[in-house]
Amino acid sequence: MSASNSPIDLAKLVAARRAVDFVESGMRVGLGTGSTAAHMVRELGRRVREEGLEIVGVPTSTATARLAEELGIPLTTLNEAGSLDVTIDGADEFDDTLTLIKGGGGALLQEKIVAAASERMIVIADAGKHVGTLGAFPLPVEVLEFGMQSTRRHIAALLDEADVSGREAVFRERDGARFVTDEGNHILDLHLGRIGDARRLATALNTVPGVVENGLFIDLCDTVIIGHSDGRVEIGDLASGAFTEEHGTGEEGENLFRDIAG
């Protein structure tokens, strides 16, 4: 275990390694985007190399595709795969109903399409992503460039009537320029503080002309795996509504803290 690995990095790694236990040879796997998902992709790559795991992956961003290719994971497109057995991805926030906020990495559109095409969605996260009420993390909304200021005004008017605590809508920037998604769109980050009714807000946002998709993932996540830096994991199951705890070191003494870079 590298001394430079932060507790959050270790928690993400623990969750990612537990999640890939659900992947079996022959599966079509959706590959998420973001720092937590990157740990999962690396671990899948290790299993492909060392265990002969036979899978085909569908990446949710160009960044994930590049990483998977470097690690030797065979890739295909969602059009070619048709449907997926499982998608493993991170989340920016999730609540007890496994409703998510996603899109901090700017890939929410592809992530939602891939999740919706999957028999099962597994979310991996550190404990800090588990919240009682969604909204502390800004809600990303992907919008077309055409008429985007008009779209922003419509969203602002919608938020005036919404059950939220904040109403600031800011176009995301990166390196001093407006952020552009893989699809050539832009991201409005909504600083809401608290979302009282996620389903109603998601429906309302997607009726605004110019909105492509929003970062509320509702009725998509089946399982969440929460990692802890001491090797423990909590697994939340949508069907049962329960969270169960597992210890990170099993009877065979498997070391969950192999070098992150490995």
Side-chain angles (χ1 to χ4, degrees):
M1 181 173 63
S2 170
S4 64
N5 294 336
S6 72
I8 290 179
D9 284 333
L10 291 173
K12 292 177 178 180
L13 177 61
V14 167
R17 286 183 170 160
R18 180 65 181 90
V20 299
D21 289 342
F22 292 91
V23 179
E24 301 175 356
S25 282
M27 283 188 169
R28 296 158 295 178
V29 183
L31 306 176
T33 294
S35 60
T36 309
H39 287 310
M40 174 272 300
V41 175
R42 293 188 186 98
E43 184 65 9
L44 280 178
R46 183 196 65 78
R47 290 191 62 194
V48 168
R49 295 189 307 273
E50 298 179 7
E51 301 176 13
L53 181 71
E54 296 182 356
I55 61 170
V56 62
V58 173
T60 55
S61 67
T62 55
T64 296
R66 285 195 299 267
L67 178 60
E69 288 173 345
E70 291 171 3
L71 295 169
I73 298 174
L75 299 179
T76 188
T77 66
L78 184 56
N79 284 337
E80 292 171 340
S83 62
L84 304 178
D85 297 291
V86 64
T87 285
I88 305 176
D89 205 347
D92 299 303
E93 282 187 345
F94 66 92
D95 64 14
D96 288 340
T97 70
L98 306 195
T99 296
L100 321 171
I101 287 182
K102 287 181 52 58
L108 67 96
L109 180 58
Q110 289 191 28
E111 288 173 335
K112 188 173 280 191
I113 292 171
V114 168
S118 304
E119 288 296 317
R120 183 179 193 181
M121 182 186 189
I122 299 174
V123 162
I124 49 180
D126 60 88
K129 303 299 193 302
H130 190 187
V131 298
T133 302
L134 298 173
F137 191 92
L139 174 64
V141 179
E142 186 160 344
V143 300
L144 296 174
E145 181 175 21
F146 178 81
M148 61 185 181
Q149 294 296 350
S150 176
T151 302
R152 181 182 183 180
R153 288 193 294 271
H154 283 296
I155 290 175
L158 179 157
L159 292 178
D160 283 340
E161 305 298 325
D163 183 12
V164 296
S165 297
R167 291 172 173 80
E168 183 181 13
V170 180
F171 280 108
R172 185 179 300 180
E173 294 188 354
R174 179 173 293 176
D175 299 326
R178 195 153 285 166
F179 176 80
V180 180
T181 70
D182 281 353
E183 291 75 33
N185 302 317
H186 297 284
I187 298 285
L188 264 176
D189 286 317
L190 308 185
H191 296 259
L192 307 177
R194 177 192 58 83
I195 298 173
D197 189 333
R199 190 179 301 273
R200 183 175 181 180
L201 179 60
T203 300
L205 285 169
N206 282 359
T207 65
V208 174
V211 169
V212 180
E213 191 51 85
N214 71 83
L216 285 165
F217 282 48
I218 302 170
D219 299 333
L220 289 173
C221 177
D222 301 285
T223 304
V224 63
I225 299 177
I226 306 169
H228 296 269
S229 60
D230 61 2
R232 290 178 299 116
V233 295
E234 295 175 77
I235 300 180
D237 178 70
L238 180 64
S240 68
F243 282 78
T244 58
E245 184 173 305
E246 297 179 356
H247 292 285
T249 302
E251 294 178 357
E252 298 179 0
E254 177 186 7
N255 180 10
L256 288 176
F257 296 126
R258 295 189 301 268
D259 191 341
I260 286 180

